[in-house]
Amino acid sequence: MLLNKLQEFFGFEKFRPGQEQIIIDILNKKNVLVIMPTGAGKSVCYQLPSLISDSYSIIISPLISLMQDQVNSLNQNNKTAAFINSSLDFHESEKVLNELQNSKIKMLFVSPERLNNLNFVQRIKMFKPEYLFIDEAHCISEWGHNFRPSYRNIINFAEAIEVKNISAFTATATPEVRKDIIDQLKFVNPSIHITGFERENISLNVLFDKSKKEKIIDILSKDKKPTIIYASTRKHAEQLSEFLNLNKIVNEFYHAGLTNELRRIIQDNFITGRTKIIVATNAFGMGIDKKDIGNVIHYNIPSSIENLYQEFGRAGRDGTESKAYLFYTHRDKEIQEFFIQISNPNVEQIKKCYDAILDYYKIAVNSKTEKFLEITNDLIKLIESKDINKGLIPSIISILEESNYLKLHAQNSFAHYIQIKLSQNDLKKYLKGMYNSELQDFLIQLVKIFGGTIFNSKVELNFDFLYQNFGYNKKAVDQFLFTLNNIGIIEYEKPKFVQKISMLTERVSSKNLKLNKTEINKKIQLAEYKLDQVLEYVNTDECRFKFILHYFGESLQNYKCGKCDNCTGNKNSKSNDFINEIIIRTFKEFKGALTENRLLGILKGSSQSNIAKKISTYENCKFYSINEIESSIQYLLNKNILKEINDELVFNPMEELFSSEDEDYESSKVIDNKYENNLELFNKLREERDLAAKKFNQNPQLICSDKILRDIINANPQTSSALLQIDGFNQRMFNKIGAEFLSILTEHYASEKQNSIAGKLPKHISQTYDLVIKKYSLHDISKLLKLPESIVSIQIETIISYYPEMDFHSLLMKEEFEIIEKNILDFSEDLKTIKSRIDKNISYSKIRIVKAVLKAKSISLG
């Protein structure tokens, strides 16, 4: 029977792996949890039971575009599905509910936000659904990569409408997320179906090329298949799209900043094949039913393995060989760290935001208002003046809601407002000369309905009233309003997205806010953990699919996919511990920063500079290729051991990272924190200035000179008036680039302030410190942290300089410590000289540690 129905409704001759048993469990009224990869056929598992049901099903889906695509696909032959979400007005929603009541619909797709509507809940309960299906179920879990608080209301909705046949579906769920889904939905003895996460026809590749854009052109020139390129920001998407078009690779960009209509057109162009290449943020992809995507390219790293897997999983759904590329530079990590920062407020920011909102609306302590507090542009500016990025506001209010203080109501306002801009006399004159009788009649009716009020202020326009009393259809009214607005007769304000806040309790002093600090910190730690896992994936030497399978809970000992760059030996970047060590020594001996070319000149021995020739590492990498050295440079950048500032390489500016008491390196000068931060900020402002220069087709120095940029950094203006007070920065400059500069300054100093709140040791060294305290050996610490011993030993030098009284003997074998100690004749000796007198099996790393311990001990005794 099921096979017959499968063929009747979908035209398939057989089920895909796992589908049939899932459907049988659903029909047997079990609670089912399905973890099935993107493109493996999840939707059939809930659509088929819905179609053969005597009643109907509700499918909860998080994205409007996702449910619209599914409904359109299902309704190609006969209407069996409909949706209700914020894109429908009251009249359209009522039409759907009436069709549901008359048994014309078998599947109703609903956005999770709709579940809070009491009238909707009561109507649905009357119609008695048989099944409740939850798509993208990972959204219910705080451990998931796309947590949505509205998903937590699903179980209350299910209990209210008295439906017990509940099933949940997701493509990406770690063991922790699976448990959370089961707990949140109160499943008892659920039937759990996990199909393999491997995609046999996709090869995974990580590229460390700095010239990302040029490499993408090379990939696309060789492979003409449909391609999605994911970028981490709207700006990156637009810039990359422009670059590709300039190089005659036709594409379109897509992100949430575009209008709904334009996004729909771009998406349709891609699905139908009119556009072969899309450059997009992660706003693009969910619900895209395109089976012939041949390449998925990540221009920047995503925030989690779940996102990475879901996005590259859109390739090769037709079973043909496909490729996934992930580009990485150390700056990609910084972008994601910034996103974590602006998505996860600290306690102080929460308190400041709470005060700012209630101060703005003049609500005193111990007072409460029942009115909604709208989030206006002026309120956002006030919050931003407190060093709080506006991106943090939803997260802050969400935390305040959990603590029962404030609640955010994010909704679409369905109201249409109009005002006639002409005087009554001028309108009379205009009406007499109008040729369009329908438009003339429409204007006259507006005046009759609203009288003189419509000339003096905006009035709300009731579309249903116009339909019922004057016979206008929606399309005609839309066209009338569009035309009158464009010719300046009226000002028309369309429905808009409105965010409002309600108070859940009386205002308290912010110092008395009771916040769950543990939960707040846990969210930050989870985001950092997920990013760390992406970085581990980037740098792993094992099979990339094995890494992903292990992340999702599949333990496979000897698994190899045979297709990824690690399995095939095509990985384009591998670090070499010896080269890493030489690079570190070079920087320790050299005074200041080095360009990559100067560093290569020293290591390869090609530099003719007398200063270069005096460095002990001169020519030490003579027999290594430039690619090998560049790979090590990139590795050290990835590990944050080197930083790139203004096209120069420097040590990580935190002096704690490479502090050493070795007299050999006393000439080494770590870049000053303030100087380095200023350089970084200068570079950000200059990049924005150069973009403006292209936009206005002017010389960058005319837009804003370098001297004025430096003055801006020194003055650190936080307001437009402060920026205009800087000598040479005038109103003309402000009109072109002032708002962008203020935004960059605010974000930079907020980030700097956040980064300065650290303990005595930086975070990455703190991990090493904890392991030293627990008496781990150097070898074990290196293995646990997945860092070379050479890097760990440098971190331990830092720890020794801070805590010389600690016992470090557990790091080495007793015999090794004694041998090294015996052969250190003078603390000024370099490591190479000491090494020449010691057993060749004892590494430089161990010598460095013993030397630092003895030096610290000598200083404390002296």
Side-chain angles (χ1 to χ4, degrees):
M1 184 273 287
L2 288 180
L3 278 173
N4 289 338
K5 292 296 182 183
L6 180 72
Q7 188 169 15
E8 176 187 343
F9 291 121
F10 301 101
F12 301 142
E13 295 290 335
K14 63 179 181 178
F15 286 104
R16 292 188 185 183
Q19 285 180 326
E20 187 172 16
Q21 189 56 52
I22 292 167
I23 292 168
I24 290 170
D25 284 349
I26 290 171
L27 294 174
N28 287 332
K29 306 299 193 288
K30 293 182 180 181
N31 292 138
V32 178
L33 172 60
V34 177
I35 295 99
M36 184 178 280
T38 300
K42 290 191 300 295
S43 57
V44 169
C45 295
Y46 56 76
Q47 289 174 3
L48 188 57
S50 303
L51 291 168
I52 63 180
S53 166
D54 293 332
S55 181
Y56 73 98
S57 301
I58 295 174
I59 298 100
I60 296 172
S61 184
L63 289 182
I64 290 174
S65 61
L66 182 64
M67 61 177 76
Q68 286 176 337
D69 289 340
Q70 292 206 47
V71 168
N72 291 339
S73 177
L74 286 162
N75 291 343
Q76 282 182 353
N77 297 321
N78 298 303
K79 183 165 186 179
T80 58
F83 60 80
I84 292 180
N85 56 41
S86 60
S87 71
L88 303 185
D89 60 26
F90 175 78
H91 177 76
E92 292 167 324
S93 297
E94 280 297 305
K95 183 181 177 184
V96 171
L97 290 172
N98 289 333
E99 290 175 335
L100 193 67
Q101 185 175 11
N102 295 323
S103 302
K104 294 181 179 179
I105 292 172
K106 304 293 287 184
M107 280 173 277
L108 177 63
F109 289 78
V110 179
S111 60
E113 290 74 19
R114 178 67 57 164
L115 308 185
N116 292 327
N117 186 308
L118 184 60
N119 179 57
F120 174 77
V121 174
Q122 290 172 341
R123 297 278 294 277
I124 290 296
K125 184 178 180 179
M126 287 169 54
F127 306 153
K128 297 182 179 178
E130 185 165 358
Y131 298 106
L132 176 63
F133 298 118
I134 302 153
D135 202 8
E136 307 297 335
H138 57 269
C139 296
I140 205 170
S141 173
E142 285 187 296
W143 297 101
H145 64 289
N146 193 22
F147 173 59
R148 288 176 177 243
S150 55
Y151 260 63
R152 290 292 178 94
N153 298 325
I154 291 175
I155 188 60
N156 296 329
F157 171 75
E159 290 171 351
I161 64 173
E162 299 176 357
V163 64
K164 298 189 181 298
N165 304 324
I166 308 171
S167 297
F169 297 79
T170 180
T172 52
T174 61
E176 294 85 1
V177 173
R178 293 171 208 162
K179 182 179 183 303
D180 205 12
I181 292 171
I182 291 168
D183 291 343
Q184 294 294 331
L185 295 175
K186 299 181 181 179
F187 283 176
V188 178
N189 298 322
S191 174
I192 301 174
H193 297 263
I194 303 172
T195 60
F197 284 93
E198 186 190 6
R199 295 289 303 277
E200 294 181 356
N201 61 321
I202 300 179
S203 64
L204 305 180
N205 304 273
V206 176
L207 305 173
F208 295 88
D209 295 74
K210 285 184 178 179
S211 305
K212 293 184 183 184
K213 294 175 181 176
E214 289 77 11
K215 183 65 177 178
I216 288 173
I217 286 178
D218 184 49
I219 292 169
L220 297 177
S221 299
K222 293 176 181 175
D223 193 335
K224 307 291 185 181
K225 293 178 182 177
T227 299
I228 303 175
I229 306 173
Y230 283 106
S232 58
T233 67
R234 297 176 186 181
K235 189 174 180 180
H236 279 145
E238 291 184 15
Q239 289 176 342
L240 177 57
S241 174
E242 182 183 6
F243 179 83
L244 294 177
N245 280 320
L246 287 172
N247 284 274
K248 299 182 180 179
I249 295 181
V250 179
N251 73 93
E252 293 186 81
F253 65 82
Y254 180 108
H255 56 63
L258 304 176
T259 63
N260 289 336
E261 294 80 6
L262 185 54
R263 291 207 305 271
R264 170 63 63 185
I265 292 167
I266 293 169
Q267 182 173 310
D268 187 62
N269 286 344
F270 183 65
I271 290 173
T272 56
R274 288 188 289 270
T275 299
K276 286 289 186 81
I277 299 167
I278 289 285
V279 185
T281 61
N282 61 6
F284 181 81
M286 292 183 76
I288 298 300
D289 187 18
K290 185 172 176 65
K291 302 190 184 308
D292 62 343
I293 297 171
N295 302 295
V296 171
I297 301 172
H298 280 88
Y299 185 67
N300 311 103
I301 59 169
S303 61
S304 68
I305 295 293
E306 289 94 331
N307 277 339
L308 175 68
Y309 178 79
Q310 193 171 58
E311 288 160 5
F312 77 59
R314 293 182 178 120
R317 294 192 186 183
D318 58 359
T320 60
E321 290 297 319
S322 306
K323 293 186 177 180
Y325 300 93
L326 174 65
F327 282 89
Y328 180 73
T329 69
H330 66 288
R331 287 180 180 172
D332 295 327
K333 176 188 172 187
E334 292 171 1
I335 291 170
Q336 291 299 335
E337 287 174 335
F338 173 72
F339 288 156
I340 291 173
Q341 181 187 324
I342 66 168
S343 302
N344 296 278
N346 58 42
V347 172
E348 193 59 34
Q349 288 171 321
I350 296 169
K351 290 179 178 180
K352 285 182 178 180
C353 187
Y354 177 78
D355 279 340
I357 293 167
L358 300 182
D359 286 346
Y360 181 80
Y361 283 101
K362 298 180 172 59
I363 297 167
V365 173
N366 299 325
S367 299
K368 181 187 175 188
T369 179
E370 298 301 325
K371 294 180 180 178
F372 282 109
L373 313 177
E374 189 171 335
I375 299 180
T376 65
N377 287 332
D378 287 339
L379 175 56
I380 291 172
K381 288 177 183 176
L382 175 62
I383 293 171
E384 288 182 317
S385 72
K386 310 292 182 183
D387 291 332
I388 300 170
N389 187 289
K390 66 181 179 182
L392 281 171
I393 297 174
S395 300
I396 289 174
I397 299 175
S398 176
I399 292 169
L400 289 169
E401 180 180 348
E402 291 169 9
S403 303
N404 203 40
Y405 293 109
L406 302 177
K407 181 178 177 64
L408 182 66
H409 302 267
Q411 61 192 52
N412 278 330
S413 167
F414 296 114
H416 300 255
Y417 292 97
I418 60 169
Q419 180 180 357
I420 296 178
K421 304 304 291 180
L422 300 179
S423 68
Q424 294 188 40
N425 288 332
D426 287 341
L427 181 63
K428 287 178 183 177
K429 294 175 186 176
Y430 183 78
L431 287 169
K432 288 178 181 179
M434 286 187 74
Y435 294 104
N436 188 328
S437 58
E438 287 184 332
L439 201 59
Q440 185 183 53
D441 180 64
F442 180 71
L443 267 171
I444 292 170
Q445 295 299 342
L446 290 179
V447 176
K448 286 182 178 179
I449 294 168
F450 296 105
T453 307
I454 197 170
F455 293 94
N456 303 319
S457 60
K458 290 180 182 178
V459 295
E460 185 175 345
L461 189 63
N462 188 324
F463 271 47
D464 288 332
F465 178 80
L466 293 173
Y467 303 152
Q468 294 165 12
N469 292 279
F470 298 98
Y472 296 123
N473 62 43
K474 184 178 185 300
K475 187 175 181 181
V477 174
D478 281 339
Q479 187 59 50
F480 291 157
L481 294 172
F482 177 79
T483 303
L484 292 170
N485 185 73
N486 277 3
I487 60 180
I489 304 302
I490 67 167
E491 183 178 332
Y492 172 43
E493 188 177 294
K494 293 183 179 181
K496 62 181 179 180
F497 184 72
V498 178
Q499 289 184 305
K500 297 179 180 179
I501 299 168
S502 63
M503 294 184 71
L504 300 177
T505 188
E506 292 179 351
R507 179 177 182 177
V508 299
S509 171
S510 58
K511 66 182 180 182
N512 294 326
L513 283 173
K514 294 179 180 178
L515 303 170
N516 191 334
K517 295 180 182 178
T518 302
E519 283 297 314
I520 293 169
N521 292 331
K522 187 171 77 173
K523 288 178 182 177
I524 297 172
Q525 290 164 2
L526 177 62
E528 290 175 342
Y529 166 76
K530 288 185 176 295
L531 178 56
D532 286 343
Q533 291 299 301
V534 175
L535 298 176
E536 284 199 28
Y537 169 83
V538 165
N539 291 305
T540 187
D541 290 322
E542 69 179 3
C543 169
R544 296 201 185 277
F545 249 115
K546 180 181 179 182
F547 184 97
I548 287 172
L549 294 173
H550 178 74
Y551 179 83
F552 287 116
E554 291 190 33
S555 183
L556 301 168
Q557 291 299 319
N558 300 314
Y559 175 87
K560 283 192 174 184
C561 71
K563 302 182 299 296
C564 73
D565 53 358
N566 284 340
C567 285
T568 58
N570 292 328
K571 185 176 180 181
N572 80 328
S573 178
K574 293 184 179 179
S575 71
N576 181 299
D577 282 353
F578 174 78
I579 301 175
N580 295 345
E581 175 86 15
I582 296 301
I583 291 172
I584 291 167
R585 283 175 55 194
T586 303
F587 275 99
K588 284 200 167 189
E589 290 186 38
F590 190 79
K591 297 179 180 180
L594 286 166
T595 64
E596 187 171 307
N597 284 338
R598 288 195 70 191
L599 177 60
L600 288 169
I602 294 168
L603 302 183
K604 294 284 289 179
S606 59
S607 173
Q608 299 305 308
S609 162
N610 290 329
I611 295 174
K613 290 179 179 179
K614 290 179 181 178
I615 297 172
S616 66
T617 58
Y618 187 75
E619 282 190 330
N620 278 15
C621 296
K622 184 176 182 179
F623 299 106
Y624 288 92
S625 70
I626 289 177
N627 283 341
E628 287 175 305
I629 299 172
E630 286 181 340
S631 292
S632 279
I633 292 170
Q634 187 62 56
Y635 172 83
L636 295 173
L637 286 166
N638 295 348
K639 293 295 183 183
N640 210 32
I641 294 164
L642 296 182
K643 293 196 79 170
E644 188 174 17
I645 302 169
N646 276 4
D647 298 324
E648 290 187 314
L649 299 170
V650 297
F651 269 118
N652 187 316
M654 291 182 293
E655 61 182 1
E656 297 94 335
L657 182 58
F658 290 106
S659 64
S660 171
E661 296 294 337
D662 291 2
E663 291 176 6
D664 300 352
Y665 304 135
E666 281 182 356
S667 61
S668 163
K669 182 179 179 182
V670 178
I671 302 298
D672 178 72
N673 255 328
K674 185 173 184 299
Y675 174 68
E676 192 248 355
N677 278 326
N678 285 353
L679 281 177
E680 189 173 3
L681 180 54
F682 179 84
N683 202 36
K684 289 178 183 177
L685 294 175
R686 190 166 60 176
E687 284 179 359
E688 195 63 40
R689 187 266 316 272
D690 292 346
L691 285 174
K694 290 178 182 177
K695 179 179 178 181
F696 294 103
N697 197 28
Q698 286 185 318
N699 186 297
Q701 294 296 322
L702 290 177
I703 296 288
C704 184
S705 70
D706 287 352
K707 179 184 181 303
I708 295 175
L709 288 182
R710 286 189 285 271
D711 290 341
I712 290 171
I713 292 168
N714 291 331
N716 182 24
Q718 296 297 302
T719 64
S720 54
S721 58
L723 182 57
L724 286 165
Q725 287 175 10
I726 292 172
D727 188 29
F729 195 89
N730 54 37
Q731 187 67 49
R732 173 185 58 80
M733 292 178 179
F734 186 91
N735 292 341
K736 291 180 179 178
I737 205 163
E740 289 79 2
F741 275 10
L742 288 172
S743 176
I744 289 169
L745 289 162
T746 301
E747 290 178 1
H748 180 84
Y749 283 107
S751 174
E752 184 183 350
K753 184 177 179 182
Q754 182 73 16
N755 291 337
S756 69
I757 305 171
K760 194 173 182 182
L761 288 171
K763 178 182 173 182
H764 53 286
I765 295 184
S766 296
Q767 294 174 329
T768 306
Y769 172 80
D770 290 340
L771 295 173
V772 172
I773 288 288
K774 293 173 182 174
K775 304 295 183 183
Y776 281 88
S777 69
L778 173 63
H779 174 75
D780 289 339
I781 294 172
S782 171
K783 195 171 180 182
L784 285 166
L785 297 181
K786 297 184 178 178
L787 288 171
E789 288 188 7
S790 58
I791 307 304
V792 175
S793 68
I794 294 172
Q795 294 180 348
I796 291 171
E797 278 187 295
T798 302
I799 298 168
I800 293 168
S801 68
Y802 277 123
Y803 306 109
E805 70 285 354
M806 279 177 57
D807 181 7
F808 295 91
H809 285 76
S810 60
L811 292 164
L812 285 72
M813 293 174 61
K814 183 180 177 182
E815 296 80 5
E816 290 177 322
F817 198 99
E818 290 174 349
I819 290 171
I820 298 169
E821 182 178 11
K822 188 182 295 183
N823 281 279
I824 294 177
L825 307 177
D826 185 345
F827 289 128
S828 65
E829 284 185 309
D830 61 60
L831 300 180
K832 194 173 182 180
T833 303
I834 299 170
K835 173 77 170 158
S836 67
R837 296 197 292 268
I838 295 177
D839 187 326
K840 64 180 181 179
N841 293 322
I842 295 178
S843 66
Y844 281 108
S845 302
K846 293 177 179 178
I847 298 171
R848 173 181 284 117
I849 291 170
V850 176
K851 187 178 179 184
V853 169
L854 296 176
K855 179 69 174 177
K857 184 178 179 181
S858 170
I859 291 171
S860 64
L861 290 174

